[in-house]
Each structure stands twice: as C-alpha cells, then as structure tokens.
Amino acid sequence: QVQLVESGGGLVQPGGFLRVSCVVSGRTFDGSAMAWFRAGPQKERVSLAGITWTGGGSTYASSVKGRFTISRDYAESTVHLQMNRLEPEDTAVYYCAVRRGGIRTSPEDYEDWGQGIQVTVSS
C-alpha cells in the first residue's frame, strides 16, 4: 500500500520561507513522478511543481517559479518543496502526490495522495 506523509507546514509571516516534505513508501518509485499541489478556499487542487523520481527533472507553475523549489532525496524516499518569499495568497492546504510515468499537472492523473498539510501566510 502506497503511503505519502507530509510534514513541515505551519504559520509563517509574509516574505518568509517554509519547507514542506513528503515521505513516500509502499512500492518502488523508479519511473514515477511526484508533485506538489495546493487547495485554497475553493478546494480545487492546483499543480505547483513536479519532479521525476529517477532523473530529478522538474517543472513549475508560473505562479511559483523562482520562489519554490522541488527536490527529492532518493535515499530517504522524501520529496521536498522549499517555499521562499511567501505571500498571503500562498495560504492553502498543500498535498504531495505520485503517479507512474512522467510529470502531469492535472490532479486526476495522480494515483496516490498524502493527507494534506496546512500552510498559512499571515502577519
């Protein structure tokens, strides 16, 4: 059974930084892609960044490119999202997800999800 467990959320002031992490387990992930999404008040999950598990290639949404960095620690089976220069508009529940195959931006293309973790940007 695939499990994804997020950690590292919380409250941060505007302009600050935070790193959320996702430990994945339950199968081998070679040939898979991991991604971070977030859901705001409207609850729609929006793609932020994706990374291939084996090669480490990554993609970003335009809204976070240059501020957020996705990375994976192969040995620790963990995917990180480093978030810098956070804005109140970044307040949301953040989810990690995994799929077999390459990076996609639609949440429907991902097979397994973490439980989500709250990130709040406020002074």
Side-chain angles (χ1 to χ4, degrees):
Q1 181 180 357
V2 176
Q3 287 191 316
L4 295 82
V5 180
E6 296 110 338
S7 63
L11 174 65
V12 61
Q13 291 188 343
F17 61 90
L18 202 64
R19 188 176 79 163
V20 290
S21 301
C22 176
V23 178
V24 298
S25 63
R27 65 171 174 85
T28 58
F29 294 97
D30 291 346
S32 297
M34 276 69 171
W36 283 95
F37 292 77
R38 68 185 177 193
Q42 290 75 27
K43 305 300 182 185
E44 178 184 0
R45 296 186 185 186
V46 176
S47 173
L48 301 175
I51 190 166
T52 58
W53 186 246
T54 307
S58 58
T59 62
Y60 295 90
S62 57
S63 60
V64 303
K65 194 170 185 178
R67 296 191 301 128
F68 291 10
T69 302
I70 190 171
S71 63
R72 91 266 187 263
D73 185 325
Y74 198 85
E76 296 294 327
S77 296
T78 302
V79 180
H80 304 289
L81 185 69
Q82 176 68 40
M83 303 182 289
N84 298 327
R85 304 200 309 274
L86 284 161
E87 305 163 352
E89 294 74 22
D90 295 315
T91 295
V93 177
Y94 284 68
Y95 298 89
C96 63
V98 62
R99 70 181 303 274
R100 290 178 174 83
I103 300 168
R104 297 289 185 273
T105 59
S106 173
E108 288 76 19
D109 290 327
Y110 286 79
E111 297 127 12
D112 296 288
W113 292 81
Q115 78 283 1
I117 192 164
Q118 179 69 43
V119 171
T120 302
V121 184
S122 175
S123 55

